[in-house]
Amino acid sequence: MEVLVKSTIMPCPLLVSSMLERGANLFSDVAIISIRPDGFRHSYTYRDLRRRSRQLAAALQRAGIAQGDRVATLMWNEHEHLEAYFGVPSVGAVLHTLNLRLHPDDLAYIVNHAQDRFLIVDDVLLEVFEQIRPRVQFERVFVVDHGCGALPAGCESYDAFLAESIVEPSDADLAEDDAAAMCYTSGTTGRPKGVLYSHRAIALHSLAISLPDQLNLSCHDTLLPIVPMFHVNAWGLPYAATMNGSKQVLPGRNLRSKTLLDLLQNERVTVAGGVPSIWLAVLHALETDPSRWNLTQGLRLLVGGSAAPESMFRRFDKLGVHVIQAWGMTETTPVATACKLTPYMHGWTEDDRYAQRAKHGLPLPFIEARAVDDQGETHKDGKTAGELQVRGPWIAGSYYGLDQADKWTADGWFRTGDVATIDTEGFVKIVDRLKDLIKSGGEWISSVDLENALVAHQAVKEAAVIAVAHPKWQERPLAVIVLKDGSDVDASELRAFLGERFGRWQLPDAFVFVSELPHTSTGKLLKSQLRQDFNDWRWERS
Ligand code: AMP
């Protein structure tokens, strides 16, 4: 009897290496394209990816990398980065992708905190490395050669390192809960915090995002991950695409909208992932010159990282391009919700359908989400906002080397710091970051809703709404606006434009026009900077 109870299913661990094995065994000739810094189109196959990932794994073992050691990358989306995605974890080491847009102080802190032993760096990024070099201690640095000149002293060639390894890597004894990768948050306050991703979390996340009701990824797809591989695993897309055997197009460093549109067209891309600012620039280029590009029919654009305005869904639809919004964060591997209409919603009015699509959608299978208000109550009315809390098998259980227990509730949920509503259908809508909400006379105003409405105005390129202290109302909203080139609009017109959708008390009390807005390393609005800039604002001036 006891034997029967124990004999269930084979205890096969869920490992990152199994995803590469599948891609390489079943889709060996499928192409992986990398666009080099000089624009050259490099093409190789899943067979090559496996060969070179194994070479990297064997070379790392020979060089003394042991299970649990950290190997860092400072790289754009190129095939060498993909080799590290699979080669490093296959020997039990942890791939630590460094966000090259971070300030050198933060980068140096992160490298030291993670105790990274080796670094793989694109030669076009050596400048970034040199800025932190005096403050960090990599044992070895391998440079990917894109023709930028001689190797700096103390650095080695990545290709020569791979060529050294003539043997196959020896099998590491891996458990699915071992760490395979790590990223640090690029938070706007406090020090970055490290999150370790287990093999199991990455494998389950890859399966879940591939499902038809989620991002619907398959071997029929050609994927263009514009979201960088140095930021939250490029939303896990490279892992999932490899598992599925999709063609991959890695765009390198040139992310100009016209270049991206050329890639979308020429590589017959079917699915691409990027932040709203990338897609808004692409949309602008497409609308300006609609007949220039012949995109694949049914092209899907995945959007996340910050809120996509509803107008973006409508405008892309007119061009035959379907936008799908997802939500997640460094601590959630990162995708936790994705927004697809459920069958009966197709019968809703057009406005209701768009309003629903601009939400963040349903939690992925195995992920639970709840919105908890100040009183500790949860609501599912689509109106009452609360802090979004999540739990599931790819949600972080702790930070690396940091005791920050207050980020988890006593009953084991992760506190995201995002404020959300959940509607009767279970769709999550992110209303704001907790610290970005505006509290006016005891009522909450969503800065995100105002920003999304403002960018729907034809003259507005970008908008940020922040809370500024007010003697009577505690806080009032102030809008900071960047206009499109050659456009002109004044505060009263914008106020009237917003007045069609918002109550008078919700409207910004002042509109300030600037030439650009501050952004974080990953392209999100840097509201902490704006709040500082407008700290001395006097309302009577407006
Ligand atoms: P990061 O850890 O850098 O990926 O940042 C995660 C944060 O980005 C989340 O907590 C949200 O505040 C924000 N975010 C991510 N995706 C979305 C989205 N689709 N809409 C609105 N905010 C988002």
Side-chain angles (χ1 to χ4, degrees):
M1 190 61 186
E2 198 182 322
V3 174
L4 269 182
V5 171
K6 281 190 179 155
S7 308
T8 52
I9 299 295
M10 291 184 193
C12 295
L14 302 174
L15 298 178
V16 165
S17 52
S18 312
M19 298 195 276
L20 173 59
E21 284 309 308
R22 181 171 197 274
N25 283 334
L26 305 179
F27 302 94
S28 53
D29 292 325
V30 171
I32 298 169
I33 313 294
S34 303
I35 307 301
R36 304 314 237 175
D38 62 1
F40 177 76
R41 177 184 184 276
H42 175 281
S43 173
Y44 79 2
T45 64
Y46 274 103
R47 189 184 296 113
D48 300 315
L49 171 65
R50 172 166 56 186
R51 178 176 45 79
R52 284 177 55 96
S53 299
R54 280 194 180 158
Q55 278 178 290
L56 173 61
L60 289 171
Q61 274 180 336
R62 227 170 82 127
I65 286 291
Q67 258 175 262
D69 285 347
R70 263 80 62 208
V71 175
T73 56
L74 198 50
M75 303 168 97
W76 290 105
N77 294 13
E78 301 267 359
H79 68 81
E80 290 88 351
H81 212 166
L82 201 56
E83 290 158 17
Y85 261 51
F86 290 97
V88 172
S90 73
V91 298
V94 181
L95 175 79
H96 180 193
T97 50
L98 296 174
N99 182 341
L100 54 96
R101 297 203 185 105
L102 287 182
H103 190 278
D105 288 350
D106 279 338
L107 264 186
Y109 167 82
I110 286 172
V111 169
N112 289 325
H113 188 262
Q115 296 175 294
D116 296 328
R117 288 188 62 195
F118 291 3
L119 172 72
I120 309 173
V121 53
D122 280 335
D123 63 1
V124 287
L125 292 167
L126 277 169
E127 219 177 301
V128 181
F129 168 56
E130 291 300 341
Q131 287 177 344
I132 60 167
R133 193 170 188 171
R135 287 181 273 171
V136 298
Q137 285 178 332
F138 290 112
E139 291 165 44
R140 295 178 72 174
V141 176
F142 305 103
V143 180
V144 178
D145 180 13
H146 296 296
C148 271
L151 275 176
C155 297
E156 304 166 63
S157 152
Y158 172 78
D159 274 323
F161 182 54
L162 256 58
E164 273 173 27
S165 74
I166 38 165
V167 290
E168 285 283 302
S170 47
D171 282 343
D173 183 19
L174 298 182
E176 62 180 22
D177 288 326
D178 289 346
M182 83 185 301
C183 290
Y184 277 70
T185 59
S186 47
T188 48
T189 50
R191 281 293 199 185
K193 300 185 274 290
V195 178
L196 284 170
Y197 305 106
S198 64
H199 286 261
R200 174 186 161 85
I202 293 172
L204 289 174
H205 180 268
S206 302
L207 285 169
I209 61 171
S210 300
L211 289 170
D213 289 342
Q214 314 308 326
L215 307 184
N216 191 17
L217 306 172
S218 82
C219 64
H220 301 283
D221 276 315
T222 294
L223 168 79
L224 174 71
I226 301 169
V227 47
M229 289 166 75
F230 56 76
H231 184 226
V232 285
N233 308 324
W235 300 346
L237 297 172
Y239 291 120
T242 304
M243 176 188 81
N244 292 319
S246 319
K247 176 181 163 186
Q248 298 187 49
V249 183
L250 306 174
R253 68 171 176 176
N254 183 351
L255 306 180
R256 278 193 289 273
S257 43
K258 288 181 184 155
T259 313
L260 292 175
L261 278 159
D262 288 345
L263 265 185
L264 287 168
Q265 169 186 268
N266 299 341
E267 300 294 344
R268 307 314 298 154
V269 171
T270 59
V271 57
V275 292
S277 52
I278 288 273
W279 293 135
L280 286 170
V282 163
L283 184 56
H284 181 65
L286 262 180
E287 286 175 338
T288 312
D289 201 351
S291 57
R292 177 161 163 190
W293 291 278
N294 170 19
L295 302 176
T296 318
Q297 246 196 340
L299 171 65
R300 288 118 66 207
L301 304 183
L302 312 176
V303 63
S306 49
E310 188 188 297
S311 54
M312 193 170 116
F313 295 80
R314 292 178 187 263
R315 285 158 67 196
F316 266 120
D317 270 354
K318 287 204 183 106
L319 300 161
V321 177
H322 190 72
V323 178
I324 300 163
Q325 176 151 232
W327 169 87
M329 55 199 308
T330 308
E331 292 89 335
T332 64
T333 308
V335 183
T337 73
C339 195
K340 291 265 190 83
L341 298 186
T342 55
Y344 74 98
M345 291 176 187
H346 292 283
W348 288 6
T349 65
E350 187 177 272
D351 282 351
D352 286 348
R353 285 200 310 269
Y354 277 115
Q356 200 69 0
R357 280 182 57 197
K359 293 184 178 179
H360 298 80
L362 297 175
L364 269 52
F366 303 117
I367 300 293
E368 293 170 87
R370 67 184 187 190
V372 182
D373 71 13
D374 291 346
Q375 280 73 48
E377 303 288 324
T378 57
H379 301 269
K380 276 184 78 176
D381 57 6
K383 291 191 194 99
T384 316
E387 182 183 28
L388 183 63
Q389 300 180 352
V390 289
R391 69 175 177 188
W394 55 90
I395 309 296
S398 63
Y399 289 113
Y400 173 71
L402 186 76
D403 183 15
Q404 205 175 348
D406 60 333
K407 287 291 285 182
W408 286 267
T409 63
D411 58 345
W413 294 66
F414 175 70
R415 305 181 53 184
T416 66
D418 282 342
V419 180
T421 57
I422 300 182
D423 65 19
T424 47
E425 340 287 329
F427 276 55
V428 173
K429 179 175 191 270
I430 306 292
V431 183
D432 223 329
R433 288 292 293 164
L434 210 47
K435 58 185 185 302
D436 292 340
L437 272 178
I438 300 152
K439 195 152 202 190
S440 170
E443 295 292 336
W444 294 108
I445 300 176
S446 163
S447 62
V448 172
D449 282 352
L450 287 168
E451 286 157 7
N452 284 343
L454 280 165
V455 293
H457 190 283
Q458 56 186 13
V460 175
K461 185 170 166 206
E462 212 181 352
V465 177
I466 53 165
V468 173
H470 191 282
K472 181 166 174 200
W473 303 108
Q474 294 102 51
E475 287 177 354
R476 286 295 300 154
L478 175 139
V480 192
I481 309 283
V482 181
L483 292 180
K484 287 184 188 154
D485 289 346
S487 297
D488 196 18
V489 68
D490 62 12
S492 57
E493 185 179 332
L494 287 180
R495 191 171 283 120
F497 180 72
L498 289 178
E500 291 165 17
R501 288 188 44 190
F502 294 88
R504 270 179 66 86
W505 66 275
Q506 293 173 308
L507 300 181
D509 284 1
F511 293 80
V512 179
F513 296 88
V514 296
S515 56
E516 61 177 341
L517 290 170
H519 291 98
T520 67
S521 61
T522 51
K524 297 177 210 276
L525 281 171
L526 191 52
K527 296 231 182 134
S528 54
Q529 172 73 52
L530 279 177
R531 279 193 285 267
Q532 221 172 317
D533 294 349
F534 288 93
N535 200 17
D536 297 328
W537 179 264
R538 294 279 166 269
W539 284 111
E540 48 277 20
R541 283 194 350 223
S542 58

